[in-house]
């Protein structure tokens, strides 16, 4: 695990946990939008499962977990961080700052200005994952950016949620744009449904999709 510590605008810790070793690294995260709490519950369940697994269960696979990327927004039940910036519009992709301006999708005046954005960028730079799975809600789909259609279909089959390459509106400054398109690092945005999200079931789906044991906690 990296010695680097990450903190939010209001100095809350942004926890990062790493399990296993090897050439294949998957990053699983949630809570980019603080009011999307079902995803945080799912990733916390993933974290609980990973903590209980023996080291030999990882079999050359490293898993990096960030349960809540925007702890201030989570505490205040707001989409944005404490600076009223939408973290998922603050990444330095080629389209940053374009498109419709609104309070809801406020990406800020400068790309990667927010500590939460910098934390995600720092974790990715340190661990160099080959796949990022980020949980959001509640568009009820498996959205993919970059070369990860097969994994998207696997998650789609298990969840019953449709695979989509375009959610229907532009997302300048998003993680998917920056990592998936600009950096060619595959990003799957698992958009949970509005209701009936079982953290245990979804944690099992994610662990099975990336090839790890799915014994229930």
């Amino acid at each position: 695990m990296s010695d680097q510590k990450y903190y939010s605008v209001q100095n809350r810790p942004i926890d990062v946990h790493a399990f296993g070793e090897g050439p294949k690294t998957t990053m699983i995260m949630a809570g980019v939008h603080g009011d999307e709490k079902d995803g945080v519950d799912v990733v916390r369940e993933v974290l609980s499962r990973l903590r209980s697994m023996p080291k030999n269960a990882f079999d050359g696979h490293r898993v990096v977990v960030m349960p809540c990327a925007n702890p201030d927004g989570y505490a205040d039940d707001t989409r944005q961080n404490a600076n009223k910036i939408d973290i998922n519009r603050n990444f330095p992709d080629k389209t940053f700052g374009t498109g419709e301006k609104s309070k809801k999708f406020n990406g800020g005046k400068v790309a990667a200005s927010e500590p939460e954005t910098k934390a995600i960028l720092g974790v990715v730079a340190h661990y160099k994952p080959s796949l990022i799975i980020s949980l959001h809600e509640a568009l009820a789909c498996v959205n993919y950016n970059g070369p990860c259609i097969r994994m998207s279909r696997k998650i789609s089959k298990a969840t019953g949620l449709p695979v989509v390459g375009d959610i229907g509106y532009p997302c300048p400054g998003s993680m998917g744009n920056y990592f998936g398109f600009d950096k060619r690092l595959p990003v799957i945005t698992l958009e949970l449904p509005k209701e009936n999200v079982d953290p245990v079931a979804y944690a099992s789906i994610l662990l099975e999709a990336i090839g790890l044991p799915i014994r229930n906690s």
Side-chain angles (χ1 to χ4, degrees):
M1 182 168 185
S2 171
D3 292 332
Q4 179 70 47
K5 302 295 183 182
Y6 301 101
Y7 297 91
S8 68
V9 172
Q10 296 178 339
N11 210 37
R12 290 185 172 91
I14 300 173
D15 294 331
V16 182
H17 309 267
F19 302 86
E21 297 178 352
K24 180 182 178 183
T25 299
T26 302
M27 180 173 172
I28 302 175
M29 59 181 292
V32 170
H33 294 142
D35 59 353
E36 298 178 2
K37 298 190 174 184
D38 284 344
V40 176
D41 291 342
V42 172
V43 177
R44 284 176 174 167
E45 176 65 21
V46 169
L47 177 61
S48 177
R49 303 279 192 91
L50 293 172
R51 282 174 167 161
S52 69
M53 287 183 187
K55 290 184 177 181
N56 61 5
F58 293 92
D59 191 25
H61 191 168
R62 181 167 57 180
V63 184
V64 178
V65 181
M66 182 184 285
C68 187
N70 178 9
D72 296 346
Y74 184 87
D76 293 337
D77 196 27
T78 60
R79 177 184 177 93
Q80 298 86 359
N81 73 349
N83 286 336
K84 302 188 184 306
I85 301 296
D86 183 344
I87 300 306
N88 207 35
R89 297 296 184 275
N90 189 238
F91 284 85
D93 81 305
K94 294 176 182 177
T95 65
F96 173 80
T98 64
E100 180 182 353
K101 302 294 191 301
S102 69
K103 290 182 179 179
K104 180 179 180 180
F105 299 122
N106 176 24
K109 295 181 180 180
V110 179
S113 59
E114 304 308 297
E116 297 86 358
T117 314
K118 291 175 182 175
I120 297 168
L121 292 169
V123 171
V124 172
H126 179 80
Y127 288 105
K128 297 178 174 57
S130 56
L131 172 66
I132 299 173
I133 301 175
S134 181
L135 276 69
H136 284 258
E137 54 193 79
L139 298 180
C141 64
V142 184
N143 176 227
Y144 68 95
N145 300 107
C148 49
I149 184 64
R150 291 180 65 184
M151 179 63 77
S152 299
R153 287 172 176 163
K154 184 183 294 188
I155 295 173
S156 170
K157 184 176 181 180
T159 60
L161 302 174
V163 174
V164 298
D166 186 337
I167 61 172
Y169 55 87
C171 300
S174 70
M175 274 185 56
N177 281 359
Y178 178 68
F179 290 122
F181 294 147
D182 293 1
K183 299 299 182 182
R184 302 301 293 168
L185 166 55
V187 176
I188 292 175
T189 303
L190 174 54
E191 287 275 358
L192 299 170
K194 291 182 180 180
E195 300 174 345
N196 301 322
V197 175
D198 181 352
V200 172
Y202 273 91
S204 294
I205 287 168
L206 292 177
L207 290 171
E208 185 174 27
I210 66 174
L212 291 181
I214 59 169
R215 182 180 63 186
N216 290 342
S217 59

